[in-house]
Amino acid sequence: MRLLLKYKILLLLFFKIIFIQSAHGQKVEISNDSLRKIVVEAGRAFEKLDNKSSLEYSQKALNLAYETQNYAYIARIYNLLGLNYTEFTDYRKAEDAYLKGIDAAIKANELEVESWLDSNLATLYQVHFKQHDKALDYHLKSLAYSKKIESDYDILLSYLNITILFFDIDNYKDGIVYLNKADDYIFKINEGATYITYYSLYALYYNHFKNYEKAEESYLLSLKYCEDNRYDLQGVHAMELYDDIAHFYAAHNDKNKGYDYLVKHLTLKDSLYSVEKTETIANY
């Protein structure tokens, strides 16, 4: 079985790091305005999938944060570094960044940031190292922190991530339990990329049990949220969804529709990525 959305929910977790105030109202103290500005620039570059620039800004910000022992920001910067290293497929550096970020979040007593790091590390173990037991442990840690700080958005992401993990190992019995839990949050959050993943997971579920009509219906619901690609990262979700739908139609003998969605996938992929994405990060 193909697992949808290769980039997973981990990319959604990034957006909060560029804000001074966290979702549950806790303010992050910063020592100077230059640190904040550099982190914002690093975040904007990542949002545009300009990982080379994002890495450069992040390294500069990390040096400043260490000079002032600002562990709240150190944790956030390591989270962003981990995401960038993942994009460059340097997964060991990504793992190291997330683990260092967790240590910094603990020192700063930043439960929300620790939950993001746990979730991103879990996805790394799941997708790239195929260590599903380890991944589940970190996903459950992330979920526990999200519930403790009462962050509905992070709770939703955890439920979706855990669903993806179980579906990835063909455990639909446990996976659907967590997807059903997401029902209570998805419409409250009302965010485009989460809808794409939510309906796509239902499509996978129905497809597995050979309810192809419901699977197609769920994929079409996902497509509604691909038309508004307000930022490049949501475009990544749309790109992967087009690929999944192309394979779905090809598997069910609708070659024309399968080809149409494959073309959409490849066209969007070309517009999102450049040759620079293959550059090495050995110097970072």
Side-chain angles (χ1 to χ4, degrees):
M1 180 203 75
R2 297 182 69 256
L3 181 64
L4 88 162
L5 299 175
K6 300 178 184 66
Y7 288 79
K8 306 296 183 291
I9 304 299
L10 69 88
L11 293 179
L12 300 178
L13 296 175
F14 145 76
F15 288 102
K16 297 176 188 175
I17 73 168
I18 66 174
F19 298 110
I20 301 302
Q21 185 164 316
S22 64
H24 62 286
Q26 180 178 354
K27 292 186 177 180
V28 178
E29 298 296 331
I30 56 175
S31 59
N32 57 63
D33 192 52
S34 61
L35 174 57
R36 183 191 66 82
K37 288 179 179 179
I38 295 170
V39 173
V40 168
E41 288 302 316
R44 287 173 177 166
F46 183 81
E47 182 182 356
K48 296 175 183 177
L49 302 180
D50 182 0
N51 301 103
K52 185 174 183 293
S53 295
S54 184
L55 273 172
E56 291 172 350
Y57 283 121
S58 296
Q59 289 288 356
K60 188 174 180 180
L62 188 62
N63 291 336
L64 280 175
Y66 267 118
E67 286 177 7
T68 57
Q69 297 292 288
N70 192 324
Y71 287 102
Y73 255 64
I74 289 170
R76 286 163 166 77
I77 296 165
Y78 273 126
N79 189 44
L80 182 51
L81 281 169
L83 293 173
N84 275 296
Y85 289 140
T86 300
E87 283 293 284
F88 276 109
T89 69
D90 196 330
Y91 304 127
R92 288 301 176 188
K93 280 190 176 180
E95 179 187 25
D96 183 63
Y98 291 140
L99 290 171
K100 288 178 178 177
I102 289 171
D103 287 342
I106 292 171
K107 289 179 180 178
N109 194 28
E110 284 276 348
L111 293 183
E112 185 173 31
V113 181
E114 189 175 351
S115 77
W116 308 340
L117 287 154
D118 284 336
S119 183
N120 289 343
L121 184 58
T123 302
L124 186 72
Y125 285 136
Q126 174 192 339
V127 178
H128 301 295
F129 296 143
K130 305 302 179 184
Q131 297 176 359
H132 292 94
D133 289 342
K134 203 169 186 179
L136 182 58
D137 287 343
Y138 276 101
H139 276 315
L140 292 175
K141 285 182 182 179
S142 179
L143 177 59
Y145 287 132
S146 299
K147 287 182 175 180
K148 188 171 183 178
I149 62 176
E150 299 180 340
S151 172
D152 287 347
Y153 184 70
D154 293 318
I155 291 170
L156 170 62
L157 295 183
S158 289
Y159 285 149
L160 294 176
N161 275 329
I162 295 171
T163 301
I164 290 170
L165 185 150
F166 281 124
F167 283 9
D168 192 20
I169 57 176
D170 290 333
N171 183 347
Y172 288 87
K173 180 181 178 181
D174 290 328
I176 195 62
V177 171
Y178 283 93
L179 187 55
N180 290 160
K181 290 177 184 290
D183 294 347
D184 295 330
Y185 294 87
I186 188 73
F187 301 108
K188 185 193 307 185
I189 300 302
N190 193 31
E191 198 273 335
T194 56
Y195 278 125
I196 294 172
T197 302
Y198 173 78
Y199 285 118
S200 296
L201 285 169
Y202 269 112
L204 282 180
Y205 178 79
Y206 290 127
N207 188 58
H208 177 77
F209 289 105
K210 304 186 187 308
N211 189 339
Y212 302 129
E213 183 177 344
K214 291 289 288 184
E216 182 181 31
E217 179 184 320
S218 297
Y219 274 133
L220 293 177
L221 285 169
S222 292
L223 284 172
K224 289 173 55 179
Y225 300 95
C226 291
E227 298 173 357
D228 180 21
N229 297 321
R230 300 184 305 273
Y231 47 84
D232 287 341
L233 290 180
Q234 187 160 321
V236 170
H237 286 279
M239 177 188 76
E240 295 299 341
L241 176 62
Y242 292 148
D243 191 35
D244 284 338
I245 295 176
H247 282 81
F248 171 78
Y249 281 124
H252 299 295
N253 298 315
D254 196 333
K255 305 296 184 183
N256 290 333
K257 284 185 179 179
Y259 177 77
D260 288 344
Y261 281 104
L262 179 61
V263 170
K264 287 184 177 183
H265 164 74
L266 294 174
T267 301
L268 186 54
K269 183 177 181 180
D270 287 343
S271 72
L272 290 173
Y273 292 97
S274 67
V275 176
E276 292 179 1
K277 290 286 291 178
T278 64
E279 290 184 359
T280 181
I281 54 169
N283 295 325
Y284 291 97

